[in-house]
Amino acid sequence: MVITRATEYAVRTVVFLAQQEKNEIVLKKDICRTQDVTPAFLTKILQPLIKAGIVSSQRGVGGGFLLAKDPEQITLLDIFQAEEGQLKLNHCLVDVDVCHRDAYCSAHEVWYEAQMQMAQVLKSYSVSDLVKRQHEKLTQLKKCAP
Amino acid sequence: MVITRATEYAVRTVVFLAQQEKNEIVLKKDICRTQDVTPAFLTKILQPLIKAGIVSSQRGVGGGFLLAKDPEQITLLDIFQAEEGQLKLNHCLVDVDVCHRDAYCSAHEVWYEAQMQMAQVLKSYSVSDLVKRQHEKLTQLKKCAP
DNA sequence: ATTCCGTTGCTCGTGTTATAACCACGCTGA
DNA sequence: TCAGCGTGGTTATAACACGAGCAACGGAAT
């Protein structure tokens, strides 16, 4: 019942990309160095982001990664779903017909409501929100311990 | 990122117990038969419920299980936490100090908010709510296909 | 003694978290 | 134009943890 490391790294990576100058291409190893991820694992994490249209990539010399959309257009839910597939709290919430009890199982609806609330929160934050917040936090930090 | 089967079975079991006459003791095998759980697995599921003070048990001839509290006093969150421990969406939300980034990681707060929303939903439903709903659903069903 | 539940340990499958080897693409300079 | 190098892309694999379930034995109550 936890989000995976892959999702966490993916969020970090996208936020990092959003912090670069627009259209600036970033090397994989620079992402790794700054975000504490190993190159091999980062490769695996980036592919779903690319397929979801969140990140784009460029091969060859001078190649690397960059955001494929505006940071305002990317929500945390997008990143989550790119890595983990559709959000579901219980199997019966997605694979319809799997649960023959769902006609009378009242828990079903509660799981559904909890899931919707969670999705709502994740959808309400864009990557640019995160970048802004992070900036604020860092300037706060500097004030406290300059 | 899904609830475990144990939690699902636990909810079913508690709802089933709540549907009995007050203080009626139910045999393990009757729970198994009605709730589609194997005895061996149910054994494992019931223990955390007992330790959490949700269910109590009676050994020996005529023994079995019954609710230890009023169904109004038991929330879905109680059952969830009995089976899966404290709800946490990300490791860094419980094991403080594990994440050295949390001072500036803005995703941290979003996971926290999503988690709180979810907990709020689970806390807002008691077992007696579920029993009531289930009863309504069943009478609806009978109306449609008598 | 019988009928219950309690505890423990085990297996087996699946998902997470990587790692590594090899492949495909594209720029660049001879 | 083409060889070579520097990129990311794909796929196979492995270690490990956890979920899910099973079984056997132990202990309490009647």
Side-chain angles (χ1 to χ4, degrees):
Chain A
M1 193 56 217
V2 294
I3 62 169
T4 63
R5 310 276 278 170
T7 300
E8 179 165 355
Y9 294 156
V11 171
R12 278 193 213 164
T13 299
V14 171
V15 168
F16 179 70
L17 290 179
Q19 285 168 333
Q20 311 306 308
E21 305 257 313
K22 190 158 183 175
N23 294 326
E24 167 138 2
I25 294 185
V26 180
L27 279 176
K28 190 197 284 178
K29 65 178 174 186
D30 289 332
I31 302 176
C32 294
R33 221 187 1 244
T34 55
Q35 307 306 309
D36 298 330
V37 196
T38 63
F41 195 35
L42 185 60
T43 297
K44 203 164 200 174
I45 289 163
L46 280 165
Q47 293 317 307
L49 294 177
I50 293 168
K51 283 187 183 117
I54 295 170
V55 167
S56 53
S57 62
Q58 182 91 36
R59 296 211 260 203
V61 177
F65 302 91
L66 71 166
L67 285 193
K69 302 191 202 179
D70 277 353
E72 293 86 23
Q73 304 296 316
I74 308 170
T75 69
L76 263 198
L77 186 62
D78 295 331
I79 301 174
F80 179 96
Q81 290 191 336
E83 296 293 332
E84 306 198 22
Q86 176 145 23
L87 174 59
K88 56 171 176 178
L89 274 194
N90 200 353
H91 305 287
C92 60
L93 293 178
V94 165
D95 312 326
V96 186
D97 302 336
V98 153
C99 177
H100 66 279
R101 312 175 77 86
D102 81 336
Y104 55 90
C105 168
S106 47
H108 193 96
E109 298 168 22
V110 181
W111 304 134
Y112 185 74
E113 186 179 335
Q115 177 177 297
M116 290 306 282
Q117 285 292 329
M118 194 178 141
Q120 204 54 49
V121 172
L122 296 187
K123 209 193 306 186
S124 71
Y125 289 93
S126 73
V127 170
S128 65
D129 291 334
L130 294 191
V131 170
K132 237 174 284 169
R133 279 209 191 196
Q134 197 144 314
H135 185 70
E136 285 163 14
K137 281 191 155 196
L138 280 175
T139 53
Q140 275 293 327
L141 265 188
K142 269 184 211 145
K143 248 193 240 165
C144 298
Chain B
M1 192 56 221
V2 295
I3 61 168
T4 63
R5 310 276 278 170
T7 301
E8 179 165 358
Y9 294 155
V11 171
R12 279 192 212 164
T13 300
V14 172
V15 168
F16 179 70
L17 290 179
Q19 285 168 333
Q20 310 306 308
E21 303 258 314
K22 189 156 183 177
N23 294 326
E24 169 139 359
I25 293 185
V26 180
L27 276 177
K28 191 197 283 179
K29 66 178 174 187
D30 289 332
I31 302 176
C32 294
R33 219 183 8 241
T34 55
Q35 308 304 311
D36 297 329
V37 196
T38 63
F41 196 33
L42 185 60
T43 297
K44 203 168 199 172
I45 290 163
L46 281 165
Q47 292 318 308
L49 294 176
I50 293 167
K51 280 180 186 125
I54 295 169
V55 168
S56 54
S57 62
Q58 182 90 35
R59 298 208 258 204
V61 177
F65 301 91
L66 71 165
L67 286 193
K69 301 192 203 179
D70 276 354
E72 293 85 23
Q73 303 295 316
I74 308 171
T75 70
L76 263 199
L77 185 63
D78 295 330
I79 301 175
F80 179 97
Q81 291 192 334
E83 295 295 331
E84 306 198 21
Q86 176 145 24
L87 173 60
K88 57 170 176 180
L89 275 195
N90 200 353
H91 305 286
C92 58
L93 291 179
V94 164
D95 312 327
V96 186
D97 303 336
V98 154
C99 178
H100 65 281
R101 312 175 78 87
D102 82 335
Y104 56 91
C105 168
S106 47
H108 194 97
E109 298 169 22
V110 182
W111 304 134
Y112 185 74
E113 186 177 336
Q115 176 177 298
M116 289 306 282
Q117 284 292 329
M118 193 177 141
Q120 203 55 48
V121 172
L122 296 187
K123 209 193 303 189
S124 72
Y125 289 94
S126 72
V127 170
S128 65
D129 291 334
L130 294 191
V131 171
K132 240 175 280 169
R133 280 211 190 194
Q134 198 145 315
H135 185 69
E136 285 163 15
K137 281 192 153 194
L138 280 175
T139 56
Q140 276 291 327
L141 265 187
K142 270 185 210 144
K143 251 191 239 165
C144 298

